[in-house]
Amino acid sequence: MQKKGILIVVSGFSGAGKGTLMKKLVSEYEGYALSVSMTTRKPRENEIDGREYYFVSREKFEEVIASQGLIEYATYVENYYGTPVEYVEEELKAGKDVLLEIEIQGALKVKEKFPSALLLFVMPPNIDELKNRLKQRGTESDEIINKRLKRAGEEAAGIEAYDYIVINDDLNECVKSLHQIIAAAHLTPGRNALFIEEFRKELKQN
């Protein structure tokens, strides 16, 4: 029986390490596909268009919105972020678990459209570590860092909407935990309705 892919939404405070976690998960385990989001923010140093994000203008982003080419989109710190629909649907059909890095507004929109989506919220071990990670990037001004911390305070109010929290303290252990959570999610009855129904039919025939 072909495994059906799960749509996995990974959110978390800016600086929690979401991107690093997902890249390591994809590199160490088979069966995952990392969806690339579209954004209007400027690329950071070493970021490549089409790898970290599709970097586009506001005009281009709004054209994609108008053509219904996004699963969801939202504004975060004065920039658009969104998830292109075509790639996600293709990978799910192929049996891949598709990872989306989306902020909390978008995550809840995805859950409305895909009730079987798995929502994971990545957190640092403490607030001091969050501040340190934001500063260590060395790519953003104090003003932007303060905006991100303020936004983290707003996001903290919505954590209960997620299925699991993942504490990103030790990177290797966190990746292992992520993989285990996703493997367990494949075994829930709701994600195996067809298999269960077929089994029931066969039981009745005996």
Side-chain angles (χ1 to χ4, degrees):
M1 183 179 70
Q2 162 111 14
K3 179 191 83 168
K4 186 178 179 183
I6 296 177
L7 189 59
I8 303 153
V9 179
V10 181
S11 304
F13 308 128
S14 181
K18 304 179 294 294
T20 302
L21 274 175
M22 291 192 295
K23 284 173 190 169
K24 193 167 177 61
L25 181 70
V26 170
S27 70
E28 292 191 1
Y29 296 96
E30 293 183 356
Y32 291 106
L34 187 58
S35 175
V36 180
S37 295
M38 185 179 291
T39 184
T40 58
R41 82 156 168 80
K42 300 297 181 189
R44 298 186 186 119
E45 189 178 356
N46 299 323
E47 287 185 330
I48 296 173
D49 183 52
R51 186 181 70 184
E52 279 76 20
Y53 287 95
Y54 296 111
F55 296 99
V56 300
S57 66
R58 289 187 74 85
E59 291 76 16
K60 173 63 177 175
F61 198 103
E62 287 168 357
E63 285 175 15
V64 179
I65 292 172
S67 66
Q68 299 185 339
L70 300 171
I71 292 176
E72 57 73 40
Y73 69 94
T75 304
Y76 179 82
V77 191
E78 299 168 11
N79 282 299
Y80 278 130
Y81 291 81
T83 305
V85 66
E86 188 175 351
Y87 174 83
V88 170
E89 290 182 340
E90 286 176 358
E91 294 299 306
L92 287 174
K93 284 177 186 173
K96 294 282 187 73
D97 292 330
V98 180
L99 296 153
L100 308 181
E101 181 184 341
I102 308 177
E103 49 68 58
I104 195 163
Q105 285 174 278
L108 298 179
K109 290 178 186 175
V110 171
K111 190 70 172 178
E112 286 177 12
K113 292 182 181 178
F114 297 87
S116 64
L118 179 66
L119 269 55
L120 308 175
F121 196 93
V122 179
M123 301 180 70
N126 54 61
I127 188 66
D128 288 338
E129 181 62 19
L130 180 63
K131 291 177 182 176
N132 288 338
R133 289 179 189 178
L134 287 170
K135 289 175 182 175
Q136 284 168 6
R137 279 178 176 171
T139 58
E140 292 163 342
S141 66
D142 288 343
E143 182 185 358
I144 294 295
I145 288 172
N146 287 333
K147 280 185 179 180
R148 292 191 182 279
L149 287 170
K150 183 180 177 183
R151 181 58 184 263
E154 295 167 0
E155 289 174 329
I159 295 172
E160 287 81 0
Y162 285 73
D163 297 302
Y164 294 90
I165 62 167
V166 182
I167 309 299
N168 185 14
D169 190 358
D170 180 283
L171 180 61
N172 290 326
E173 287 302 313
C174 193
V175 169
K176 195 183 297 182
S177 294
L178 267 179
H179 180 65
Q180 289 170 345
I181 288 168
I182 295 162
H186 273 283
L187 302 176
T188 60
R191 294 187 177 93
N192 290 277
L194 186 59
F195 170 72
I196 292 167
E197 189 57 34
E198 287 297 320
F199 204 97
R200 283 175 177 153
K201 284 179 183 175
E202 289 179 17
L203 282 173
K204 287 178 181 177
Q205 290 169 3
N206 287 297

